[in-house]
Amino acid sequence: MEKIPPPAQELAMIDQELVRLDARRGQLLARRAQLVSLLARSAPPTWPSAPPAPTRPGPSSAPRSAATEIPPRSAQNVLLALGGVLLTVAATAFTLVSWGQLGVGGRAAVLTVVTVAALAAPAPLLRRGLASTAEAVAAFGLALLVLDAYALHEVALPRTDGLPYTAGAAAALAGLWAGYGALLGRLRLPLPAAVVTAQLPLFLGSLAVDASALTTAWALLVTAALDTALAVRLKPGAVRTVAVVAACVTSGAALLTGGSLSVAAGTPLAAAGPAGLLLATAALGLFAARRVNVHPMAPACALVAGLAAVAAAGGAVRTAVPDGWAVLGYLLCGVALLAVVRTRLPRAVVRGLAGAAGAVTAASVLWTLPALALVPLSALSRVTTIWTGAPGGARAALGIDLPWTRQPAAPLVLLIAAAAAASAYRLPPGAPDSGGGRPWRVPALCGAVALGWAAVVVAPTALDLGYPAALAAPLALTAALLTAVVRPRAPVGTAVTLTALVCALAGSVCVSLLSLATRTATVTALVALCALFTGAAVAGQTVRAPGAAAGVQAASRPSPAVRALLACVAVGYATALGAAACPAVGLPAERTALALLVVPGAVALLGARLRRHPVAPPIELTSAGAAVLAVVLASDRAPVLALVLALSGVIAAGTAVRPGRRRAAGYTATALFVLAAWVRLASSDVSAPEAYTLPVTLPALAVGLLRRRRDPEASSWTAYGPGLAATLLPSLLAAWGDPDWPRPLLLGLAALALTLAGARLRLQAPLVLGGAALALDALHELAPYVAQMVGLLPRWLPPALVGSLLLAVGATYEQRLRDARRLRGTLGRMR
């Protein structure tokens, strides 16, 4: 029979064989690289294969060559366009430079002959099928007409003003080009050119008579109306596209001019003229939207029409109300547009007008953002002036001067916006543009909740209510929002619940910051917030919708994450209450630290009752923050700090009794007890901590040995780690501060013994702890000599040594990586 060696001997044999295989693999890889390099240098050159035999093109295939990269049609168009441009340049130069060298007859003859020839040539060219050539010659003829108009002004009408003549010439040219294009219908250039030229007569005519900005805007609007009428009557094509673009440009210019004049008007009479222009622009937009209601531009036309109507009505209201209330007028006019949702107008028109109402509402809400943002930001100033006395009002409670005189209507604007969002949520399914699923309902309800919360937060400060009202309003709103979170009255989505929860959290923060003015207000507000969030967390566990089905009940209950968040916030406010109530009654910081430990203790008891409930882990982690705060408050007095650490360890040990918390809480309790012992020893000026730590270490090691005998699979960290750390770490700290040699020597010998024992018995805890203590102890002893040697060395030597080390490591990187993996595997196999 084959003799099977013991496990330890067999493991050593396997390790030796793996090392041998790694070394052999490295040799083979090096030899392979040499062979590859030799073959690369000695390989014969490779010759390209013979080219394929040329194939003779068939009768149906044309040969492809470099000359056919440009299609013939494109080359023809380029040549024709270039020729037309050159002819136009030549005609321009002749008109401007050589005109005076001819007499009147010669001038007339040249103009007549060249223009008539250029305009007459496209007809025979079209009959012969030369459409591109005809387009080029027609473009040259159109350019000659412009030059003829210029020449006519210079010769026959030199004293005529430029603007009136240009306006008349533009009208004449637009008519001529339109007639010419209608006569030769196959030409694509004359009609678009006529449309573009037709944009100038009214505009230039208004400038020629020194008309006002309002009259000029009316001229642009009339031009846009003509363009719109032309666009809706034509079939899709180049002319219609040019007319649409021209209508957009001219109507946009008229709209911007009317809007600027409406904003600048100071009286209702002065605002009447721009309002009429804006209303006419709105009517034109609605006309275009209804005529092209199936076109993608229909909603855009209706949107512009709605904005123009709001600008007209809002501008008239602005001049009749005090400063700061103009935005409210614009908002009311915008909300009035929502009435079209219940009408029988085309869907595209309704969508555009509703979009205009939404845009006006969003702009109004943006106007209130400075006032809304400054409320919590200003409340933060109370952190540096805590408990300085009750202020006279809500504005004084914030501590700085806010721009309420410029935004007195901010709360009302937010309320109206919230009502508009709520009305969108309640839109019936049969309304136009409602769609099947009404996907806007959830965003509308979220917006209504957020805007309503913002209105209530801003209202006390905007109205400068009393300090109690400034606290009571957001507190009551927080309670209402928490009620909506745990007991929704309608089957709403998760987004609405999260919105209400976020608003409730933000409102509670505002309340807590504003309450820092007085002790009574702080304690009262924190008690109320703690009670509200605790009640919400408890109610969220048992909430049921009465008379509802099981599916509706499940949908109306808050999610586990929401319930956990409510519970965590309740624990946080309980901690804040303890931190504020103790100083309020005159307790010092160290006693406040002891009182704060009530929070993690109570949460530990509650966690034991909740057991595996998903809320238990989050609130236990949150309560740890109270213990951390207690440690910070007691850090000035070491004896109290030791007591706080010990009590925290007791709470962690009590938590470790539970099966699900045994590992994490047990380690935490051990660390806290050890820290408490160290702090207590340090506060008592103990110079020999081993006298206090060894009596703890020896029983701990004995207990660990018994545990290992009963459970051989138990980790050495669980069995021996706490006992060894209880002595090694304090001794190491004492050795680092000891200038004598006996303590470091004894500590080094003990650490060496632990390291050897861990390596011999294959135990991680003694090996790692002993090795770390030995290395740190040696570093402490060698540090003065190393520093002295470094001071004597040349400055170039350390970088050189570091560079050499990096080169060596880089050259043997693969081997070092394998060594690191082998070491990690060896440590991982230890207990």
Side-chain angles (χ1 to χ4, degrees):
M1 295 177 64
E2 184 178 359
K3 183 179 178 180
I4 299 176
Q9 184 179 356
E10 184 179 2
L11 181 62
M13 294 170 60
I14 291 174
D15 290 338
Q16 293 175 2
E17 185 67 16
L18 289 175
V19 171
R20 189 184 66 78
L21 290 175
D22 287 339
R24 181 58 179 165
R25 184 175 184 273
Q27 295 175 1
L28 293 175
L29 288 175
R31 181 57 181 166
R32 182 183 182 277
Q34 294 177 1
L35 294 175
V36 169
S37 62
L38 289 175
L39 290 175
R41 289 195 296 267
S42 61
T46 58
W47 300 97
S49 58
T55 59
R56 184 172 300 175
S60 61
S61 62
R64 298 180 60 87
S65 62
T68 61
E69 291 183 358
I70 301 177
R73 188 75 174 178
S74 300
Q76 178 189 10
N77 293 337
V78 170
L79 294 176
L80 291 175
L82 183 60
V85 170
L86 292 177
L87 286 176
T88 304
V89 170
T92 304
F94 171 76
T95 304
L96 297 178
V97 178
S98 302
W99 183 258
Q101 299 177 4
L102 299 175
V104 176
R107 299 171 188 174
V110 171
L111 284 174
T112 302
V113 172
V114 176
T115 304
V116 171
L119 293 178
L125 291 174
L126 289 174
R127 287 195 297 269
R128 293 173 177 250
L130 303 176
S132 299
T133 307
E135 292 284 354
V137 176
F140 176 61
L142 299 180
L144 284 178
L145 284 177
V146 177
L147 295 176
D148 291 344
Y150 168 75
L152 181 62
H153 177 268
E154 293 295 323
V155 175
L157 304 170
R159 296 182 180 180
T160 306
D161 291 339
L163 281 177
Y165 180 79
T166 304
L173 289 176
L176 287 175
W177 291 350
Y180 184 71
L183 182 62
L184 300 178
R186 295 176 59 187
L187 293 177
R188 293 175 295 178
L189 182 62
L191 289 179
V195 174
V196 173
T197 309
Q199 311 305 309
L200 300 177
L202 293 179
F203 175 69
L204 295 179
S206 63
L207 296 180
V209 297
D210 293 331
S212 62
L214 182 61
T215 304
T216 303
W218 274 108
L220 291 172
L221 184 60
V222 172
T223 305
L226 296 176
D227 294 332
T228 303
L230 182 63
V232 298
R233 291 181 62 87
L234 293 176
K235 296 180 180 180
V239 183
R240 183 177 181 179
T241 302
V242 173
V244 170
V245 173
C248 293
V249 173
T250 52
S251 62
L255 181 61
L256 292 178
T257 304
S260 61
L261 293 176
S262 177
V263 172
T267 61
L269 183 60
L277 175 66
L278 292 172
L279 290 177
T281 307
L284 179 62
L286 285 177
F287 168 77
R290 296 200 64 177
R291 289 297 301 269
V292 293
N293 57 353
V294 295
H295 195 273
M297 286 191 63
C301 295
L303 174 65
V304 173
L307 293 177
V310 171
V317 174
R318 182 189 62 82
T319 59
V321 298
D323 293 338
W325 294 87
V327 174
L328 182 60
Y330 285 104
L331 177 60
L332 291 175
C333 297
V335 171
L337 288 178
L338 293 176
V340 302
V341 175
R342 299 178 181 272
T343 62
R344 297 184 178 275
L345 290 175
R347 177 172 297 183
V349 177
V350 172
R351 187 183 298 117
L353 294 178
V360 173
T361 305
S364 303
V365 172
L366 289 177
W367 175 79
T368 64
L369 284 184
L372 179 61
L374 284 176
V375 170
L377 294 178
S378 302
L380 286 174
S381 63
R382 278 294 173 188
V383 176
T384 58
T385 59
I386 185 174
W387 295 348
T388 55
R395 296 183 186 177
L398 296 177
I400 63 174
D401 186 18
L402 297 178
W404 300 116
T405 56
R406 298 195 301 271
Q407 292 182 324
L412 194 55
V413 168
L414 291 170
L415 281 177
I416 294 174
S423 65
Y425 169 76
R426 298 179 64 85
L427 189 67
D433 197 33
S434 62
R438 292 183 290 173
W440 73 89
R441 295 196 68 195
V442 172
L445 189 56
C446 292
V449 172
L451 293 171
W453 169 83
V456 176
V457 169
V458 172
T461 313
L463 302 177
D464 199 14
L465 301 179
Y467 181 63
L471 288 177
L475 188 61
L477 180 61
T478 301
L481 290 172
L482 290 178
T483 303
V485 169
V486 299
R487 295 182 181 273
R489 292 182 176 272
V492 296
T494 305
V496 181
T497 303
L498 292 179
T499 302
L501 181 59
V502 170
C503 292
L505 293 175
S508 65
V509 172
C510 292
V511 171
S512 59
L513 291 176
L514 288 175
S515 67
L516 296 178
T518 63
R519 290 179 171 85
T520 304
T522 302
V523 174
T524 303
L526 291 176
V527 167
L529 291 174
C530 184
L532 285 175
F533 280 94
T534 302
V538 173
Q541 313 299 320
T542 59
V543 63
R544 290 290 188 276
V552 178
Q553 291 176 5
S556 62
R557 294 188 62 181
S559 64
V562 171
R563 298 198 299 268
L565 181 59
L566 292 173
C568 292
V569 174
V571 173
Y573 277 120
T575 303
L577 176 60
C582 293
V585 297
L587 293 180
E590 57 271 13
R591 294 190 179 182
T592 302
L594 294 174
L596 283 177
L597 295 179
V598 175
V599 176
V603 171
L605 295 176
L606 180 61
R609 183 177 178 84
L610 293 175
R611 297 182 181 179
R612 296 184 179 275
H613 198 281
V615 175
I619 61 174
E620 290 174 358
L621 291 176
T622 305
S623 65
V628 174
L629 180 59
V631 170
V632 172
L633 292 176
S635 59
D636 291 339
R637 295 191 59 183
V640 179
L641 177 59
L643 179 59
V644 169
L645 290 173
L647 292 176
S648 301
V650 171
I651 296 172
T655 305
V657 175
R658 298 164 53 193
R661 307 288 188 270
R662 184 166 298 165
R663 188 179 185 88
Y667 288 151
T668 304
T670 302
L672 289 173
F673 283 137
V674 172
L675 286 175
W678 293 347
V679 172
R680 186 60 187 172
L681 293 176
S683 65
S684 302
D685 296 330
V686 174
S687 59
E690 294 82 4
Y692 298 90
T693 57
L694 283 176
V696 177
T697 296
L698 295 178
L701 293 178
V703 172
L705 181 61
L706 293 176
R707 170 100 184 259
R708 288 274 297 174
R709 285 184 177 180
R710 293 182 179 181
D711 184 13
E713 298 297 327
S715 173
S716 61
W717 290 99
T718 305
Y720 307 122
L724 294 176
T727 295
L728 282 178
L729 295 181
S731 299
L732 185 61
L733 293 177
W736 272 65
D738 193 349
D740 297 329
W741 61 271
R743 182 188 298 275
L745 177 61
L746 294 176
L747 177 61
L749 292 176
L752 178 61
L754 281 176
T755 304
L756 295 176
R760 177 69 180 83
L761 300 175
R762 304 185 64 79
L763 298 175
Q764 277 189 11
L767 178 62
V768 174
L769 291 177
L774 181 61
L776 292 175
D777 185 64
L779 179 62
H780 173 263
E781 293 303 310
L782 295 177
Y785 304 102
V786 172
Q788 183 179 3
M789 183 181 66
V790 171
L792 297 176
L793 292 176
R795 294 189 175 183
W796 58 267
L797 188 57
L801 294 176
V802 174
S804 302
L805 178 62
L806 292 177
L807 288 176
V809 173
T812 59
Y813 174 75
E814 292 292 338
Q815 183 62 35
R816 300 287 78 78
L817 188 60
R818 287 193 293 270
D819 294 341
R821 290 173 179 171
R822 191 178 302 112
L823 178 61
R824 184 183 64 181
T826 302
L827 287 176
R829 288 190 292 270
M830 291 183 178
R831 289 291 178 185

